[in-house]
Amino acid sequence: MSKKDLGLLILILVVGAVVTAINPRFLSTINLANTSNLVALFGILSIGQAFVIITGGIELSVGSLIALLGTLFIDFIAVREVNWPLAFVLILVLGAVIGFVHGWLITRLKLQPFVVTLCGLLIYRGVARFYTADGTAGFAFGQNFPTLEFLTAGRSGGLPNSFIALIVIAIVMWVVLHRSVFGRYLYAIGKNEEAAKYSGIRTGRIIIAAYVICGVLTALSAIYFAMYTRSISPASHGQFYELYAIAAAVLGGFSLRGGEGSLVGVVLGTVLLQELQNLVNLLGIPSSLNFAVMGGVILIGVLVDQQWGVFHARRRMIEATRQNVAGAPAE
């Protein structure tokens, strides 16, 4: 665990202690279970976003993708009576395809990630609204899928199964990011894409793979959100979820310039965000301020990241100067 991650963990504990002192219901079993479930849903989404951010890109369409893919998943199993395992796989494949298209447009046609994913944000929500005729996709009265509901919304040993899934995904993605050649390539591309290319790294394929991973994890998150809410209104479902994902990544130490960050930090960033949301609810603060909290968190995270980079650059410069002075021959 890095110093940034440790500092974030301490901040989480301090905020938790303050919230508990103000309102003891924070530590109630029901509240902790609900909070951990939301941490899982947004955590899976944020991990996918982190893989894109580390390459120096950004994915703005995840909220609209959650609305579209969640709508399709419910429609497949509730209306078209597709077996849920098949529908599950189809949604994941569709998420991978969309991620591939985004990566291809960025690497092959040299479009800006902001432009590609902003267009996706508009397109996917528009398609979802058209697909439902601006209605709501949901389950009919009495429709049940016991196995699916247990895996997505059930509990094992008191822990939500969604939270267990987050832990498994986080461990796998930690190995991919921090203990694999692919992960080292991601960091290299984020630091300097041109240098990585000249060193023999196939940067285009690596960036496309990052967007595919983001697409798959977004699709998985869409399924969990669909089973959590049980109905989806495409006009509002998933709105601003991309902000939650970006904020969690930034809080977790991921630089929006790319090439920095740890997976543990993303999970801790998600925990802190949901803790703050819980604080807003328990203290009776108007929910309309949620977005103000998100914007403030992102701004503070970017400022801290920028100042941290400036501090380290100055420190390296001072150390290099001292070494040069120490190594210079005496007259």
Side-chain angles (χ1 to χ4, degrees):
M1 182 178 288
S2 66
K3 291 183 179 179
K4 280 187 178 181
D5 296 341
L6 184 59
L8 192 55
L9 178 59
I10 293 173
L11 180 59
I12 290 171
L13 295 176
V14 170
V15 173
V18 172
V19 177
T20 303
I22 297 175
N23 193 331
R25 286 186 302 165
F26 177 74
L27 291 181
S28 66
T29 303
I30 295 177
N31 185 62
L32 290 178
N34 291 335
T35 302
S36 60
N37 183 53
L38 290 173
V39 167
L41 269 57
F42 284 103
I44 295 171
L45 178 66
S46 300
I47 291 173
Q49 182 74 249
F51 268 81
V52 169
I53 289 178
I54 202 168
T55 65
I58 198 165
E59 177 55 87
L60 298 176
S61 66
V62 292
S64 296
L65 259 183
I66 285 178
L68 175 60
L69 297 180
T71 297
L72 291 176
F73 182 71
I74 290 180
D75 183 68
F76 285 167
I77 65 175
V79 179
R80 304 184 186 278
E81 298 182 349
V82 177
N83 289 333
W84 74 260
L86 177 58
F88 195 99
V89 173
L90 287 175
I91 294 301
L92 294 184
V93 170
L94 185 55
V97 170
I98 291 174
F100 176 85
V101 172
H102 287 186
W104 185 84
L105 289 172
I106 291 166
T107 58
R108 293 294 184 267
L109 299 187
K110 305 301 180 183
L111 299 180
Q112 291 294 323
F114 182 90
V115 175
V116 172
T117 58
L118 178 62
C119 292
L121 179 151
L122 300 172
I123 292 170
Y124 304 139
R125 189 167 299 280
V127 170
R129 295 181 65 174
F130 175 80
Y131 190 84
T132 60
D134 245 347
T136 301
F139 295 100
F141 181 77
Q143 271 190 321
N144 292 306
F145 302 89
T147 304
L148 175 63
E149 290 169 1
F150 171 75
L151 292 174
T152 56
R155 299 182 186 180
S156 297
L159 279 177
N161 288 332
S162 58
F163 190 76
I164 296 174
L166 171 64
I167 294 174
V168 173
I169 291 170
I171 291 173
V172 173
M173 292 295 102
W174 182 88
V175 173
V176 171
L177 187 59
H178 299 291
R179 290 293 183 269
S180 72
V181 175
F182 173 73
R184 290 197 292 272
Y185 286 171
L186 285 173
Y187 279 104
I189 291 171
K191 285 290 187 182
N192 191 322
E193 184 177 348
E194 286 300 318
K197 185 182 297 183
Y198 286 123
S199 67
I201 299 174
R202 296 183 174 180
T203 57
R205 293 185 179 183
I206 300 299
I207 292 174
I208 289 175
Y211 279 90
V212 169
I213 290 173
C214 182
V216 171
L217 292 181
T218 299
L220 181 61
S221 182
I223 294 172
Y224 275 100
F225 273 111
M227 297 306 298
Y228 173 68
T229 59
R230 304 286 296 179
S231 65
I232 293 177
S233 175
S236 59
H237 186 79
Q239 276 192 340
F240 300 107
Y241 281 12
E242 57 275 0
L243 288 183
Y244 285 88
I246 294 170
V250 170
L251 282 174
F254 278 81
S255 170
L256 293 177
R257 298 185 300 270
E260 297 178 19
S262 76
L263 205 75
V264 174
V266 177
V267 177
L268 292 176
T270 306
V271 172
L272 180 59
L273 284 177
Q274 291 307 314
E275 193 176 46
L276 292 174
Q277 292 292 309
N278 205 248
L279 172 65
V280 169
N281 294 331
L282 291 177
L283 296 184
I285 299 173
S287 59
S288 56
L289 288 176
N290 284 351
F291 297 127
V293 172
M294 290 299 101
V297 166
I298 294 174
L299 178 61
I300 293 172
V302 172
L303 287 174
V304 170
D305 173 69
Q306 184 183 33
Q307 295 306 312
W308 186 265
V310 171
F311 171 76
H312 274 278
R314 289 178 179 174
R315 187 174 179 179
R316 287 194 296 268
M317 185 178 296
I318 293 172
E319 290 177 354
T321 302
R322 287 176 179 174
Q323 290 175 359
N324 291 334
V325 172
E331 295 182 0

